[in-house]
Protein backbone atom coordinates (compact mmCIF):
# COMPACT_ATOMS: atom_id res chain seq x y z
CA UNK A 1 0.00 0.00 0.00
CA UNK A 2 1.28 3.48 -0.84
CA UNK A 3 1.81 5.69 2.19
CA UNK A 4 -0.17 8.95 2.63
CA UNK A 5 3.10 10.87 2.16
CA UNK A 6 3.72 9.05 -1.13
CA UNK A 7 0.18 9.79 -2.36
CA UNK A 8 0.63 13.47 -1.48
CA UNK A 9 3.96 13.62 -3.34
CA UNK A 10 2.51 11.98 -6.41
CA UNK A 11 -0.50 14.30 -6.45
CA UNK A 12 1.78 17.33 -6.24
CA UNK A 13 4.02 15.99 -9.01
CA UNK A 14 1.00 15.33 -11.23
CA UNK A 15 -0.25 18.88 -10.50
CA UNK A 16 3.14 20.20 -11.63
CA UNK A 17 3.00 18.01 -14.76
CA UNK A 18 -0.51 19.30 -15.51
CA UNK A 19 0.70 22.89 -15.18
CA UNK A 20 3.58 22.14 -17.59
CA UNK A 21 1.15 20.54 -20.06
CA UNK A 22 -1.15 23.59 -19.83
CA UNK A 23 1.76 25.96 -20.50
CA UNK A 24 1.76 27.43 -16.98
CA UNK A 25 5.50 27.13 -16.30
CA UNK A 26 5.35 29.62 -13.40
CA UNK A 27 2.80 27.47 -11.53
CA UNK A 28 4.85 24.33 -12.20
CA UNK A 29 8.02 26.03 -10.96
CA UNK A 30 6.29 27.10 -7.75
CA UNK A 31 5.10 23.54 -7.05
CA UNK A 32 8.51 22.05 -7.85
CA UNK A 33 10.30 24.60 -5.66
CA UNK A 34 7.96 23.74 -2.78
CA UNK A 35 8.57 20.01 -3.25
CA UNK A 36 12.34 20.53 -3.41
CA UNK A 37 12.26 22.13 0.04
CA UNK A 38 10.77 18.97 1.60
CA UNK A 39 13.51 16.77 3.15
CA UNK A 40 13.94 13.55 1.19
CA UNK A 41 16.48 11.01 2.55
CA UNK A 42 16.16 8.94 -0.68
CA UNK A 43 16.51 5.83 1.42
CA UNK A 44 13.78 3.69 -0.10
CA UNK A 45 12.34 3.12 -3.57
CA UNK A 46 9.42 5.56 -3.09
CA UNK A 47 11.74 8.39 -2.04
CA UNK A 48 14.08 7.71 -4.96
CA UNK A 49 11.17 7.70 -7.40
CA UNK A 50 10.01 11.08 -6.15
CA UNK A 51 13.54 12.47 -6.46
CA UNK A 52 13.91 11.19 -10.04
CA UNK A 53 10.53 12.58 -11.14
CA UNK A 54 11.14 15.91 -9.43
CA UNK A 55 14.43 16.19 -11.31
CA UNK A 56 12.72 15.20 -14.59
CA UNK A 57 10.00 17.86 -14.27
CA UNK A 58 12.57 20.51 -13.34
CA UNK A 59 14.45 19.66 -16.54
CA UNK A 60 11.20 19.92 -18.47
CA UNK A 61 10.53 23.42 -17.11
CA UNK A 62 14.13 24.72 -17.23
CA UNK A 63 16.27 22.53 -19.52
CA UNK A 64 19.11 25.08 -19.53
CA UNK A 65 19.38 25.22 -15.73
CA UNK A 66 18.67 21.49 -15.32
CA UNK A 67 19.95 19.72 -18.45
CA UNK A 68 18.18 16.38 -18.98
CA UNK A 69 20.30 13.31 -19.78
CA UNK A 70 20.72 12.73 -23.51
CA UNK A 71 24.39 12.10 -24.37
CA UNK A 72 24.76 10.29 -21.02
CA UNK A 73 22.53 7.51 -22.36
CA UNK A 74 25.28 6.58 -24.83
CA UNK A 75 28.16 6.40 -22.35
CA UNK A 76 29.99 3.41 -20.93
CA UNK A 77 28.69 4.33 -17.46
CA UNK A 78 25.10 4.04 -18.63
CA UNK A 79 25.82 0.77 -20.41
CA UNK A 80 27.23 -0.63 -17.15
CA UNK A 81 24.19 0.68 -15.23
CA UNK A 82 21.91 -1.03 -17.72
CA UNK A 83 23.85 -4.27 -17.36
CA UNK A 84 23.47 -4.07 -13.58
CA UNK A 85 19.71 -3.70 -14.07
CA UNK A 86 19.65 -6.77 -16.32
CA UNK A 87 21.65 -8.77 -13.77
CA UNK A 88 19.58 -7.73 -10.74
CA UNK A 89 16.05 -7.83 -12.09
CA UNK A 90 14.51 -11.21 -12.96
CA UNK A 91 12.12 -9.34 -15.27
CA UNK A 92 15.04 -8.48 -17.57
CA UNK A 93 17.22 -11.54 -16.97
CA UNK A 94 14.36 -13.96 -17.67
CA UNK A 95 13.38 -11.97 -20.76
CA UNK A 96 16.79 -12.71 -22.27
CA UNK A 97 16.46 -16.39 -21.31
CA UNK A 98 13.01 -16.64 -22.90
CA UNK A 99 14.45 -15.22 -26.13
CA UNK A 100 17.23 -17.82 -26.02
CA UNK A 101 14.70 -20.65 -25.62
CA UNK A 102 12.69 -19.33 -28.58
CA UNK A 103 15.88 -19.29 -30.68
CA UNK A 104 16.79 -22.85 -29.61
CA UNK A 105 13.25 -24.07 -30.37
CA UNK A 106 13.49 -22.58 -33.87
CA UNK A 107 16.84 -24.36 -34.35
CA UNK A 108 15.35 -27.68 -33.22
CA UNK A 109 12.68 -27.36 -35.93
CA UNK A 110 15.48 -27.79 -38.48
CA UNK A 111 17.40 -30.75 -37.00
CA UNK A 112 19.49 -31.31 -40.12
CA UNK A 113 21.27 -28.00 -39.53
CA UNK A 114 23.89 -27.94 -36.81
CA UNK A 115 24.74 -24.30 -37.36
CA UNK A 116 22.90 -21.51 -35.59
CA UNK A 117 23.41 -17.92 -36.75
CA UNK A 118 22.11 -15.13 -34.52
CA UNK A 119 22.11 -11.55 -35.76
CA UNK A 120 21.98 -9.14 -32.85
CA UNK A 121 21.76 -5.39 -33.32
CA UNK A 122 22.75 -4.62 -29.72
CA UNK A 123 24.80 -7.40 -28.06
CA UNK A 124 25.65 -5.10 -25.13
CA UNK A 125 27.57 -7.18 -22.62
CA UNK A 126 27.79 -10.91 -23.14
CA UNK A 127 25.17 -12.00 -20.58
CA UNK A 128 22.52 -13.32 -22.96
CA UNK A 129 25.02 -15.34 -24.97
CA UNK A 130 26.71 -16.87 -21.93
CA UNK A 131 23.36 -18.54 -21.25
CA UNK A 132 22.88 -19.51 -24.90
CA UNK A 133 26.33 -21.15 -25.00
CA UNK A 134 25.52 -23.11 -21.83
CA UNK A 135 22.26 -24.30 -23.39
CA UNK A 136 23.93 -25.29 -26.69
CA UNK A 137 26.66 -27.16 -24.84
CA UNK A 138 24.08 -29.12 -22.84
CA UNK A 139 22.18 -30.04 -26.03
CA UNK A 140 25.17 -31.33 -27.98
CA UNK A 141 24.77 -35.00 -28.79
CA UNK A 142 27.92 -36.30 -30.43
CA UNK A 143 28.39 -33.61 -33.09
CA UNK A 144 29.78 -30.20 -32.19
CA UNK A 145 27.38 -27.27 -32.40
CA UNK A 146 28.35 -24.11 -34.24
CA UNK A 147 27.09 -20.73 -33.08
CA UNK A 148 27.69 -17.72 -35.27
CA UNK A 149 26.91 -14.30 -33.80
CA UNK A 150 26.85 -11.27 -36.08
CA UNK A 151 26.54 -7.89 -34.43
CA UNK A 152 26.58 -4.36 -35.77
CA UNK A 153 28.91 -1.64 -34.58
CA UNK A 154 27.41 1.81 -34.08
CA UNK A 155 27.92 4.95 -31.99
CA UNK A 156 26.79 3.13 -28.85
CA UNK A 157 28.63 -0.16 -29.45
CA UNK A 158 32.08 0.51 -30.89
CA UNK A 159 34.05 -2.17 -32.69
CA UNK A 160 36.59 -2.17 -29.87
CA UNK A 161 34.04 -2.88 -27.12
CA UNK A 162 32.32 -5.52 -29.28
CA UNK A 163 35.65 -7.22 -29.95
CA UNK A 164 36.19 -7.56 -26.20
CA UNK A 165 32.76 -9.18 -25.87
CA UNK A 166 33.62 -11.55 -28.72
CA UNK A 167 36.94 -12.50 -27.08
CA UNK A 168 35.24 -13.33 -23.78
CA UNK A 169 32.55 -15.41 -25.49
CA UNK A 170 35.12 -17.25 -27.63
CA UNK A 171 37.09 -18.19 -24.53
CA UNK A 172 33.98 -19.56 -22.84
CA UNK A 173 32.78 -21.38 -25.98
CA UNK A 174 36.12 -23.18 -26.24
CA UNK A 175 35.74 -24.44 -22.67
CA UNK A 176 32.23 -25.69 -23.43
CA UNK A 177 33.11 -27.43 -26.66
CA UNK A 178 30.96 -25.14 -28.82
CA UNK A 179 32.42 -23.71 -32.02
CA UNK A 180 31.86 -19.93 -32.02
CA UNK A 181 32.20 -17.43 -34.84
CA UNK A 182 31.82 -13.82 -33.73
CA UNK A 183 31.52 -11.27 -36.54
CA UNK A 184 31.31 -7.49 -36.28
CA UNK A 185 29.97 -5.53 -39.23
CA UNK A 186 29.51 -1.80 -39.73
CA UNK A 187 26.73 -0.99 -42.18
CA UNK A 188 23.91 1.38 -42.91
CA UNK A 189 20.37 0.06 -42.67
CA UNK A 190 20.01 0.36 -46.44
CA UNK A 191 22.98 -2.00 -46.94
CA UNK A 192 21.67 -4.89 -44.82
CA UNK A 193 21.29 -8.14 -46.76
CA UNK A 194 21.88 -11.85 -46.27
CA UNK A 195 25.16 -11.54 -48.20
CA UNK A 196 26.45 -8.52 -46.30
CA UNK A 197 25.69 -10.24 -42.98
CA UNK A 198 27.32 -13.50 -44.00
CA UNK A 199 24.16 -15.64 -43.94
CA UNK A 200 24.63 -19.15 -45.34
CA UNK A 201 21.98 -21.53 -46.70
CA UNK A 202 22.83 -24.40 -44.31
CA UNK A 203 22.34 -22.45 -41.06
CA UNK A 204 19.32 -21.61 -38.94
CA UNK A 205 19.02 -17.81 -39.00
CA UNK A 206 17.67 -15.96 -35.94
CA UNK A 207 17.46 -12.22 -35.28
CA UNK A 208 17.48 -11.01 -31.69
CA UNK A 209 15.97 -7.68 -30.68
CA UNK A 210 16.40 -7.54 -26.91
CA UNK A 211 15.80 -4.00 -25.59
CA UNK A 212 16.89 -2.49 -28.91
CA UNK A 213 13.82 -1.32 -30.84
CA UNK A 214 12.55 1.16 -28.22
CA UNK A 215 15.72 3.24 -28.63
CA UNK A 216 15.25 3.62 -32.37
CA UNK A 217 13.42 6.71 -33.67
CA UNK A 218 10.06 6.00 -35.30
CA UNK A 219 7.63 7.96 -37.48
CA UNK A 220 6.87 10.37 -34.61
CA UNK A 221 10.52 11.50 -34.67
CA UNK A 222 11.76 11.12 -38.22
CA UNK A 223 10.19 10.81 -41.66
CA UNK A 224 12.88 8.19 -42.40
CA UNK A 225 11.41 6.05 -39.59
CA UNK A 226 14.53 3.96 -38.83
CA UNK A 227 12.54 1.63 -36.54
CA UNK A 228 10.21 0.42 -39.29
CA UNK A 229 13.02 0.44 -41.86
CA UNK A 230 15.03 -1.96 -39.68
CA UNK A 231 12.05 -4.29 -39.26
CA UNK A 232 11.42 -4.36 -43.01
CA UNK A 233 15.08 -5.08 -43.70
CA UNK A 234 15.07 -7.92 -41.16
CA UNK A 235 11.92 -9.38 -42.69
CA UNK A 236 13.77 -9.44 -46.01
CA UNK A 237 16.49 -11.63 -44.47
CA UNK A 238 13.85 -14.41 -44.05
CA UNK A 239 14.97 -15.48 -40.55
CA UNK A 240 13.47 -18.61 -38.98
CA UNK A 241 12.71 -16.60 -35.84
CA UNK A 242 12.89 -12.99 -34.62
CA UNK A 243 12.87 -12.48 -30.86
CA UNK A 244 11.69 -9.23 -29.27
CA UNK A 245 12.13 -8.37 -25.59
CA UNK A 246 10.90 -4.96 -24.47
CA UNK A 247 10.04 -3.00 -21.36
CA UNK A 248 6.25 -2.67 -21.00
CA UNK A 249 5.43 1.03 -20.81
CA UNK A 250 3.28 3.43 -22.82
CA UNK A 251 6.03 6.01 -23.12
CA UNK A 252 6.46 6.77 -26.81
CA UNK A 253 3.58 8.65 -28.47
CA UNK A 254 1.39 8.87 -25.37
CA UNK A 255 0.32 12.40 -24.32
CA UNK A 256 2.61 14.05 -21.78
CA UNK A 257 0.31 13.49 -18.79
CA UNK A 258 -0.08 9.79 -19.62
CA UNK A 259 3.68 9.50 -19.98
CA UNK A 260 4.29 11.01 -16.55
CA UNK A 261 1.73 8.68 -14.96
CA UNK A 262 3.21 5.66 -16.76
CA UNK A 263 6.73 6.61 -15.67
CA UNK A 264 5.64 6.90 -12.03
CA UNK A 265 3.96 3.48 -12.14
CA UNK A 266 6.55 1.62 -14.19
CA UNK A 267 9.73 3.00 -12.63
CA UNK A 268 8.13 2.82 -9.19
CA UNK A 269 7.58 -0.92 -9.70
CA UNK A 270 11.07 -1.39 -11.10
CA UNK A 271 12.72 0.41 -8.17
CA UNK A 272 10.62 -1.52 -5.68
CA UNK A 273 11.48 -4.84 -7.32
CA UNK A 274 15.21 -4.05 -7.32
CA UNK A 275 14.94 -3.08 -3.67
CA UNK A 276 13.79 -6.65 -3.00
CA UNK A 277 16.78 -8.23 -4.79
CA UNK A 278 19.78 -6.28 -3.49
CA UNK A 279 20.87 -4.79 -0.16
CA UNK A 280 20.80 -1.00 0.17
CA UNK A 281 24.62 -0.79 0.22
CA UNK A 282 24.94 -3.06 -2.83
CA UNK A 283 27.04 -1.15 -5.39
CA UNK A 284 25.41 -2.97 -8.31
CA UNK A 285 21.96 -1.94 -7.09
CA UNK A 286 23.12 1.67 -6.76
CA UNK A 287 24.47 1.57 -10.33
CA UNK A 288 21.21 0.10 -11.66
CA UNK A 289 19.21 2.83 -9.89
CA UNK A 290 21.42 5.52 -11.43
CA UNK A 291 20.61 4.08 -14.85
CA UNK A 292 16.88 4.06 -14.08
CA UNK A 293 17.12 7.69 -12.99
CA UNK A 294 18.61 8.67 -16.36
CA UNK A 295 16.01 6.64 -18.25
CA UNK A 296 13.06 8.17 -16.38
CA UNK A 297 14.37 11.70 -16.70
CA UNK A 298 14.99 11.32 -20.43
CA UNK A 299 11.54 9.79 -20.99
CA UNK A 300 9.73 12.64 -19.22
CA UNK A 301 11.91 15.69 -19.87
CA UNK A 302 12.83 15.26 -23.54
CA UNK A 303 11.09 15.43 -26.90
CA UNK A 304 12.10 14.79 -30.51
CA UNK A 305 15.48 13.21 -31.16
CA UNK A 306 16.61 14.03 -27.61
CA UNK A 307 14.10 11.52 -26.25
CA UNK A 308 15.98 8.24 -26.53
CA UNK A 309 13.63 6.37 -24.18
CA UNK A 310 10.57 5.46 -26.29
CA UNK A 311 9.10 2.33 -24.70
CA UNK A 312 5.86 0.85 -26.04
CA UNK A 313 3.30 -1.63 -24.71
CA UNK A 314 3.18 -5.14 -26.18
CA UNK A 315 -0.02 -4.41 -28.11
CA UNK A 316 1.78 -1.68 -30.07
CA UNK A 317 4.77 -3.94 -30.77
CA UNK A 318 2.35 -6.59 -32.06
CA UNK A 319 0.81 -4.05 -34.44
CA UNK A 320 4.21 -2.77 -35.59
CA UNK A 321 5.57 -6.27 -36.21
CA UNK A 322 2.41 -7.15 -38.12
CA UNK A 323 2.74 -4.06 -40.33
CA UNK A 324 6.31 -5.11 -41.14
CA UNK A 325 5.00 -8.49 -42.36
CA UNK A 326 5.78 -10.67 -39.34
CA UNK A 327 3.47 -13.26 -37.84
CA UNK A 328 3.45 -14.12 -34.15
CA UNK A 329 5.23 -17.36 -33.26
CA UNK A 330 3.71 -17.93 -29.81
CA UNK A 331 6.26 -19.00 -27.22
CA UNK A 332 5.56 -22.57 -26.15
CA UNK A 333 4.24 -23.69 -22.79
CA UNK A 334 7.75 -25.07 -22.20
CA UNK A 335 9.24 -21.57 -22.33
CA UNK A 336 6.80 -20.15 -19.77
CA UNK A 337 7.16 -23.15 -17.47
CA UNK A 338 10.97 -22.98 -17.69
CA UNK A 339 10.89 -19.30 -16.72
CA UNK A 340 8.55 -19.99 -13.79
CA UNK A 341 10.88 -22.75 -12.61
CA UNK A 342 13.88 -20.42 -12.75
CA UNK A 343 11.96 -17.77 -10.85
CA UNK A 344 11.18 -20.17 -8.01
CA UNK A 345 14.75 -21.47 -7.72
CA UNK A 346 17.74 -19.80 -6.07
CA UNK A 347 18.48 -18.35 -2.68
CA UNK A 348 16.63 -15.04 -2.89
CA UNK A 349 13.21 -16.01 -4.22
CA UNK A 350 10.65 -13.22 -3.94
CA UNK A 351 6.96 -14.02 -4.52
CA UNK A 352 6.41 -10.50 -5.84
CA UNK A 353 7.84 -11.49 -9.24
CA UNK A 354 5.39 -13.05 -11.71
CA UNK A 355 5.47 -14.86 -15.06
CA UNK A 356 2.41 -15.30 -17.30
CA UNK A 357 1.56 -16.03 -20.93
CA UNK A 358 -0.53 -13.45 -22.74
CA UNK A 359 -1.33 -12.99 -26.44
CA UNK A 360 1.60 -15.13 -27.53
CA UNK A 361 4.18 -13.42 -25.33
CA UNK A 362 5.63 -14.22 -21.94
CA UNK A 363 5.15 -11.37 -19.46
CA UNK A 364 7.42 -10.76 -16.48
CA UNK A 365 6.17 -8.50 -13.72
CA UNK A 366 6.21 -7.26 -10.17
CA UNK A 367 3.13 -7.35 -7.91
CA UNK A 368 0.72 -7.66 -10.81
CA UNK A 369 2.31 -5.03 -13.08
CA UNK A 370 3.97 -6.34 -16.24
CA UNK A 371 7.43 -4.81 -16.64
CA UNK A 372 8.89 -6.71 -19.61
CA UNK A 373 7.52 -8.95 -22.37
CA UNK A 374 9.35 -11.52 -24.53
CA UNK A 375 7.86 -12.59 -27.86
CA UNK A 376 8.85 -14.43 -31.05
CA UNK A 377 8.01 -13.76 -34.71
CA UNK A 378 8.64 -15.11 -38.18
Amino acid sequence: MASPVSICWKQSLMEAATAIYDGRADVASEILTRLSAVPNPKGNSEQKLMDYMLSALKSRVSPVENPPPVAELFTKDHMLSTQSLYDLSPCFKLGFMAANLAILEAASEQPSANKLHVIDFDVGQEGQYLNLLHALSARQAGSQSTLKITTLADNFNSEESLRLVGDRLSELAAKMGVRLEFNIVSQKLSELSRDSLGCEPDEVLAVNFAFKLYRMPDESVSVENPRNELLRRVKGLAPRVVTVVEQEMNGNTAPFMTRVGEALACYGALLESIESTGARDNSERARAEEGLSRKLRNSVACEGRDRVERCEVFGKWRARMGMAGFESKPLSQHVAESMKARLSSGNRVNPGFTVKEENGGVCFGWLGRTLTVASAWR
Side-chain angles (χ1 to χ4, degrees):
M1 292 288 291
S3 67
V5 173
S6 168
I7 292 171
C8 181
W9 263 84
K10 286 180 181 177
Q11 285 177 343
S12 296
L13 286 168
M14 291 305 292
E15 286 171 10
T18 301
I20 292 169
Y21 180 71
D22 292 341
R24 296 176 294 143
D26 54 336
V27 174
S29 294
E30 189 276 324
I31 296 171
L32 296 175
T33 299
R34 176 161 42 84
L35 287 174
S36 298
V38 178
N40 183 358
K42 303 168 198 159
N44 62 33
S45 59
E46 271 189 1
Q47 292 162 343
K48 287 171 184 171
L49 175 66
M50 297 307 144
D51 180 60
Y52 299 168
M53 184 58 77
L54 182 59
S55 177
L57 294 177
K58 282 182 179 178
S59 293
R60 182 82 187 200
V61 172
S62 306
V64 175
E65 291 178 32
N66 304 286
V70 180
E72 295 95 316
L73 296 179
F74 297 91
T75 61
K76 185 177 180 181
D77 276 351
H78 188 66
M79 186 173 72
L80 292 173
S81 294
T82 303
Q83 189 59 48
S84 292
L85 174 65
Y86 295 165
D87 291 341
L88 274 178
S89 172
C91 294
F92 289 85
K93 186 182 290 185
L94 295 179
F96 285 117
M97 290 184 180
N100 283 346
L101 284 179
I103 290 169
L104 290 170
E105 284 189 352
S108 68
E109 293 167 3
Q110 195 173 327
S112 60
N114 207 31
K115 295 173 70 176
L116 173 60
H117 184 180
V118 182
I119 297 171
D120 195 315
F121 290 85
D122 187 4
V123 165
Q125 299 300 297
E126 67 271 15
Q128 179 171 2
Y129 293 99
L130 291 178
N131 289 320
L132 187 58
L133 284 171
H134 277 288
L136 281 172
S137 177
R139 290 181 179 216
Q140 288 186 136
S143 58
Q144 186 184 40
S145 296
T146 297
L147 172 62
K148 178 162 45 170
I149 300 172
T150 299
T151 186
L152 280 81
D154 56 24
N155 294 335
F156 189 53
N157 298 290
S158 67
E159 285 197 33
E160 182 183 0
S161 64
L162 290 171
R163 202 169 291 114
L164 292 173
V165 171
D167 290 344
R168 291 193 293 268
L169 286 174
S170 297
E171 188 177 334
L172 184 70
K175 291 178 182 176
M176 295 184 174
V178 177
R179 184 169 177 268
L180 176 70
E181 297 177 29
F182 191 89
N183 302 318
I184 304 167
V185 297
S186 182
Q187 294 178 340
K188 297 175 182 176
L189 277 183
S190 58
E191 298 170 345
L192 294 182
S193 68
R194 287 183 66 94
D195 287 341
S196 70
L197 294 168
C199 301
E200 299 172 28
D202 63 338
E203 61 191 18
V204 175
L205 181 64
V207 175
N208 182 53
F209 287 126
F211 306 109
K212 165 66 179 178
L213 294 173
Y214 80 99
R215 290 173 64 100
M216 295 200 70
D218 66 357
E219 65 279 358
S220 67
V221 184
S222 161
V223 292
E224 285 83 19
N225 198 346
R227 187 186 279 180
N228 280 9
E229 171 72 6
L230 176 59
L231 291 177
R232 284 195 298 271
R233 291 282 171 183
V234 166
K235 180 61 181 172
L237 300 176
R240 183 161 284 271
V241 67
V242 175
T243 50
V244 177
V245 191
E246 285 290 343
Q247 192 174 318
E248 179 80 350
M249 177 179 160
N250 187 13
N252 182 18
T253 55
F256 179 66
M257 294 303 300
T258 302
R259 214 160 79 218
V260 172
E262 279 279 288
L264 280 170
C266 180
Y267 286 99
L270 271 173
L271 287 165
E272 195 176 306
S273 70
I274 289 175
E275 191 173 62
S276 77
T277 62
R280 185 176 294 187
D281 58 355
N282 183 317
S283 60
E284 193 169 21
R285 174 181 152 188
R287 192 158 54 224
E289 289 170 343
E290 286 172 9
L292 287 176
S293 167
R294 286 188 285 266
K295 286 162 72 71
L296 182 152
R297 288 164 54 211
N298 181 268
S299 174
V300 169
C302 298
E303 296 296 348
R305 289 192 176 273
D306 284 346
R307 180 143 59 87
V308 180
E309 294 288 316
R310 292 183 168 275
C311 297
E312 304 265 27
V313 293
F314 184 44
K316 289 191 177 181
W317 288 120
R318 286 180 64 87
R320 197 175 287 274
M321 295 298 286
M323 286 189 291
F326 291 98
E327 292 181 4
S328 175
K329 194 174 187 294
L331 294 176
S332 71
Q333 182 70 22
H334 168 67
V335 174
E337 292 304 322
S338 296
M339 296 301 100
K340 287 175 184 175
R342 285 188 175 274
L343 196 57
S344 60
S345 65
N347 300 324
R348 294 180 63 87
V349 179
N350 191 302
F353 290 103
T354 55
V355 180
K356 64 178 179 179
E357 294 173 86
E358 199 169 276
N359 296 323
V362 177
C363 308
F364 305 95
W366 172 256
L367 296 180
R369 183 180 179 91
T370 297
L371 294 176
T372 62
V373 181
S375 58
W377 307 81
R378 66 168 306 169

